[in-house]
Amino acid sequence: QKEVEQNSGPLSVPEGAIASLNCTYSDRGSQSFFWYRQYSGKSPELIMFIYSNGDKEDGRFTAQLNKASQYVSLLIRDSQPSDSATYLCAVNYNAGNMLTFGGGTRLMVKP
Amino acid sequence: DAGVTQSPTHLIKTRGQQVTLRCSPISGHKSVSWYQQVLGQGPQFIFQYYEKEERGRGNFPDRFSARQFPNYSSELNVNALLLGDSALYLCASSPFFSVDSYNSPLHFGNGTRLTVT
């Protein structure tokens, strides 16, 4: 069974610090990887997507992909209390849009 | 442009009843996918429709069905509701068949929260 694993947390960081969220996946053939942010009671919101090995930066967010080690991570620089949410990692294991999600990591940014 | 829109936002049903959830994709998007998110878990794939044809089905019973209309909107139907069907039902759209197409990630709607009593 193809899986996506995340530490459920909570991960607690002080305001202004770097938050590092990690995700591992089981299928080396996966082509696309996604990070979604989900506030309590709301739907997932796309934060980053990455297709190639290496880093991809967008504002305070950096996604890192290492296909050889089968992990993808999300770094949030200068963390703000508004970043407090659950972060979902998703991997596309098949053709189409059949994403497999991890259980999410709850991030808490303390003022 | 409007995002993915879903209706209704909340729904309360009784065990054994049937429910229909609706979704309108982002303009120009031809693919619609449905996901179920139980409290405390990540979303789980139910269906994908592309160009009005079913192109993927997750591990859900036959009580779950869906369809896509010529305008690319979609409906998810669940028959014979069980307590375990209580969840947030998410619709997502993308322009192409596969998210592996560059710059074709899934965008989710606000979801329909279904409570089965």
Side-chain angles (χ1 to χ4, degrees):
Chain A
Q1 184 174 351
K2 297 175 179 176
E3 297 180 337
V4 177
E5 299 288 341
Q6 294 182 258
N7 188 318
S8 61
L11 172 65
S12 183
V13 300
E15 183 175 357
I18 295 175
S20 177
L21 305 162
N22 300 310
C23 169
T24 59
Y25 60 95
S26 61
D27 185 359
R28 289 183 179 273
S30 301
Q31 297 294 322
S32 49
F33 307 84
F34 305 87
W35 283 100
Y36 288 86
R37 176 175 64 194
Q38 188 171 30
Y39 294 112
S40 181
K42 303 296 184 181
S43 67
E45 173 192 8
L46 181 68
I47 297 296
M48 295 282 291
F49 56 94
I50 187 166
Y51 296 92
S52 303
N53 272 331
D55 295 359
K56 178 182 178 183
E57 186 174 318
D58 184 1
R60 296 187 297 113
F61 299 96
T62 298
Q64 299 175 317
L65 175 60
N66 184 323
K67 290 187 177 182
S69 299
Q70 295 174 240
Y71 82 79
V72 56
S73 62
L74 179 69
L75 301 178
I76 306 175
R77 290 180 298 281
D78 188 24
S79 295
Q80 301 297 310
S82 59
D83 294 326
S84 298
T86 295
Y87 289 79
L88 297 162
C89 173
V91 177
N92 192 29
Y93 282 131
N94 302 284
N97 291 343
M98 295 178 275
L99 297 187
T100 298
F101 283 83
T105 297
R106 184 177 166 214
L107 173 66
M108 299 174 60
V109 181
K110 304 210 172 213
Chain B
D1 284 341
V4 178
T5 58
Q6 292 186 243
S7 64
T9 54
H10 294 85
L11 207 50
I12 299 175
K13 291 286 189 178
T14 304
R15 277 176 298 176
Q17 287 188 316
Q18 175 264 344
V19 67
T20 299
L21 311 180
R22 296 176 175 82
C23 171
S24 293
I26 293 171
S27 178
H29 285 195
K30 298 182 178 180
S31 176
V32 170
S33 300
W34 288 94
Y35 287 77
Q36 179 197 64
Q37 187 176 25
V38 173
L39 193 64
Q41 298 180 18
Q44 188 173 359
F45 173 79
I46 309 176
F47 285 110
Q48 180 189 3
Y49 276 77
Y50 179 73
E51 290 284 20
K52 291 150 281 184
E53 291 188 4
E54 181 183 307
R55 300 299 296 271
R57 173 185 283 257
N59 188 24
F60 280 82
D62 291 343
R63 299 185 295 108
F64 289 76
S65 63
R67 56 180 174 168
Q68 187 177 34
F69 298 99
N71 66 353
Y72 301 108
S73 67
S74 178
E75 288 182 351
L76 175 70
N77 295 284
V78 187
N79 294 321
L81 285 167
L82 303 174
L83 295 179
D85 295 331
S86 296
L88 180 66
Y89 287 85
L90 297 162
C91 175
S93 76
S94 66
F96 306 117
F97 166 63
S98 176
V99 293
D100 289 346
S101 301
Y102 193 70
N103 279 338
S104 180
L106 283 186
H107 295 272
F108 285 93
N110 289 330
T112 294
R113 185 162 301 280
L114 172 65
T115 302
V116 182
T117 62

